[in-house]
């Protein structure tokens, strides 16, 4: 055992020096616990849905018989899902990300992960781990999508979703259940909603800016109020969904006095589809879509986006996507919002 440790120490001392092109800038020494991996200068990578993003992972030296393992921390169960493993010569992809990931490998020290056609579910924390026996080490990076969180409930009223139904409902609206970080950020940006909703990790929350009696009382401070973890099968709440801009897409309004079927046909006649709720929120948030006209959406609801609040458009002081709920689909009162993908 002692002989093995001695040989290991001698081997480490004989490791090749760090090439000068990978030295960190003056005044930014690498943390002492990282011997082979460079600490990333920017641990958060910002991207958009549909884009190509690269998470940097660069080695300062190549140990013998090493492997690099990329994994993603899943917020729904706090487990790590393996994405790709490489020994520098060969690699193997794993899991649902497999068709869209590759190693950048721009030089022999480069183990950076490239994700193509970034999707909503790609946001989150990733880990690049050097596996080298006793010398295992890793770095963490975060892939961040600019997005918008919105509350969602079905046509039959509030508190109708169990966890799995809430997850499916968000996906049907071109979104996914929000993470706690996404909900918290939305609260800091002004999201104020009195109904509790599921988020991705199976907990239930609601964000309050203006404390009031129906929402826990006036004495409670503003914040993201929590019900904690709930029974995913039995308990029922609304959902908080997260969506992001999709490159090359467009949401636009068709004026008219249309019932639901006529609205659907109007979008089809333009080579488009009726917009989903997430797509309307995305257009409001990222394309500054601003219309005072109520329009049908694919789930049978009627909504309209306001970026510049004014008296004749609902009278509310804050921007937002206003809702008329789920009127009878036979009503010929509204136009429709259409979605044209890339």
């Amino acid at each position: 055992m002692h002989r093995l440790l001695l040989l290991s120490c001698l081997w480490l001392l004989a490791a090749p020096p760090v090439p000068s092109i990978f030295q960190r800038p003056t005044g930014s020494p690498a943390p002492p616990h990282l011997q082979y991996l460079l600490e990333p200068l920017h641990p958060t990578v910002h991207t958009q849905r549909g884009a190509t993003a690269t998470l940097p992972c660069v080695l300062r030296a190549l140990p013998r018989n090493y492997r690099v393992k990329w994994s993603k921390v899943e917020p729904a169960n706090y487990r790590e899902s393996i994405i790709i493993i490489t020994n520098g010569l060969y690699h193997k992809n794993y899991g649902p990300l497999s068709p869209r990931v590759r190693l950048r490998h721009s030089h022999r020290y480069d183990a950076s992960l490239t994700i193509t056609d970034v999707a909503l579910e790609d946001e989150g924390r990733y880990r690049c781990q050097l596996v080298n026996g006793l010398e295992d080490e890793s770095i963490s990076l975060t892939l961040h999508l600019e997005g918008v969180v919105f509350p969602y409930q079905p046509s039959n009223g509030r508190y109708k979703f169990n966890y799995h139904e809430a997850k499916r409902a968000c996906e049907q609206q071109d979104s996914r259940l929000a993470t706690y970080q996404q909900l918290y950020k939305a609260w800091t940006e002004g999201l104020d909603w009195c109904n509790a909703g599921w988020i991705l990790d199976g907990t239930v929350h609601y964000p309050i800016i203006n404390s009031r009696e129906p929402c826990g009382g006036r004495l409670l401070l503003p914040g993201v109020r929590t019900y904690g973890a709930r029974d995913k099968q039995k308990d029922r709440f609304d959902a908080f969904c997260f969506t992001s801009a999709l490159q090359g897409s467009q949401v636009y309004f068709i004026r008219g006095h249309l019932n639901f079927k006529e609205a659907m046909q109007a979008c089809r006649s333009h080579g488009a589809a009726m917009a989903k709720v997430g797509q309307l929120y995305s257009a409001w948030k990222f394309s500054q879509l601003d219309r005072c006209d109520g329009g049908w959406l694919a789930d049978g609801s009627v909504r309209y986006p306001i970026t510049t609040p004014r008296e004749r458009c609902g009278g509310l002081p804050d921007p937002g996507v206003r809702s008329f709920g789920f009127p009878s689909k036979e009503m010929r009162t509204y136009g429709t919002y259409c979605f044209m993908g890339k």
Side-chain angles (χ1 to χ4, degrees):
M1 180 67 179
H2 293 293
R3 183 181 179 186
L4 178 61
L5 288 174
L6 178 61
L7 289 174
S8 298
C9 293
L10 291 173
W11 176 79
L12 289 174
L13 290 173
V18 180
S20 60
I21 60 171
F22 299 130
Q23 296 286 354
R24 293 175 62 86
T26 303
S28 302
H33 65 281
L34 289 179
Q35 180 175 353
Y36 293 106
L37 295 177
L38 283 174
E39 188 77 17
L41 289 176
H42 304 288
T44 299
V45 175
H46 297 266
T47 188
Q48 291 182 315
R49 185 159 53 141
T52 296
T54 297
L55 298 167
C57 184
V58 177
L59 282 68
R60 55 176 61 245
L62 300 178
R64 295 184 179 90
N65 301 318
Y66 76 96
R67 290 179 298 155
V68 170
K69 179 176 73 174
W70 276 100
S71 57
K72 184 175 187 291
V73 180
E74 301 295 349
N77 52 25
Y78 301 104
R79 295 178 181 176
E80 290 195 15
S81 300
I82 297 175
I83 299 171
I84 196 168
I85 296 177
T86 180
N87 63 0
L89 296 175
Y90 306 100
H91 70 272
K92 185 175 181 180
N93 293 16
Y94 298 85
L97 266 175
S98 181
R100 296 189 290 113
V101 295
R102 58 180 171 82
L103 294 170
R104 182 173 64 180
H105 206 63
S106 58
H107 50 77
R108 67 193 186 110
Y109 297 93
D110 184 16
S112 302
L113 182 73
T114 295
I115 305 173
T116 60
D117 195 19
V118 171
L120 291 173
E121 59 269 22
D122 297 341
E123 174 160 300
R125 189 157 62 90
Y126 292 76
R127 190 157 78 111
C128 178
Q129 181 181 17
L130 176 75
V131 182
N132 182 37
L134 297 176
E135 303 299 325
D136 292 1
E137 56 190 53
S138 65
I139 58 172
S140 291
L141 300 108
T142 298
L143 186 66
H144 175 72
L145 276 73
E146 287 297 325
V148 57
V149 172
F150 62 94
Y152 189 74
Q153 58 184 221
S155 60
N156 57 343
R158 73 171 193 160
Y159 294 175
K160 300 297 183 182
F161 294 136
N162 67 23
Y163 173 82
H164 306 287
E165 292 165 344
K167 185 174 183 291
R168 188 160 55 248
C170 287
E171 291 166 355
Q172 290 170 347
Q173 297 308 315
D174 193 46
S175 60
R176 71 191 299 247
L177 279 175
T179 65
Y180 182 82
Q181 290 78 9
Q182 290 164 346
L183 181 63
Y184 185 88
K185 183 174 184 290
W187 169 71
T188 66
E189 295 172 349
L191 181 60
D192 182 279
W193 197 254
C194 204
N195 294 344
W198 294 101
I199 63 172
L200 188 58
D201 64 3
T203 57
V204 175
H205 309 266
Y206 64 102
I208 294 296
I209 298 290
N210 302 306
S211 298
R212 49 202 187 273
E213 287 305 328
C215 305
R218 297 180 182 275
L219 298 180
L220 286 179
L221 294 174
V224 179
R225 313 262 173 84
T226 180
Y227 287 7
R230 310 298 290 196
D231 190 306
K232 292 183 178 181
Q233 292 288 354
K234 297 179 181 178
D235 289 327
R236 295 187 174 272
F237 297 94
D238 292 345
F240 285 106
C241 305
F242 171 83
T243 193
S244 182
L246 181 61
Q247 290 184 333
S249 65
Q250 178 189 11
V251 173
Y252 60 93
F253 181 74
I254 294 180
R255 188 184 299 275
H257 297 282
L258 310 170
N259 63 30
F260 181 77
K261 288 184 179 179
E262 291 168 342
M264 185 179 296
Q265 184 55 45
C267 291
R268 286 177 179 171
S269 67
H270 285 73
M274 195 179 283
K276 299 178 179 180
V277 177
Q279 292 162 348
L280 184 65
Y281 268 92
S282 178
W284 163 73
K285 178 75 172 180
F286 299 105
S287 302
Q288 289 72 55
L289 184 62
D290 183 284
R291 287 205 68 101
C292 211
D293 306 281
W296 292 104
L297 297 179
D299 67 340
S301 66
V302 173
R303 306 173 195 253
Y304 61 101
I306 295 295
T307 56
T308 305
R310 44 208 187 271
E311 190 64 32
R312 294 185 179 181
C313 297
L316 296 176
D318 300 315
V321 175
R322 319 281 195 237
S323 175
F324 287 118
F326 294 83
S328 168
K329 291 184 177 181
E330 301 304 317
M331 288 183 63
R332 285 191 169 91
T333 306
Y334 308 105
T336 185
Y337 288 95
C338 303
F339 173 79
M340 180 80 74
K342 59 179 180 178

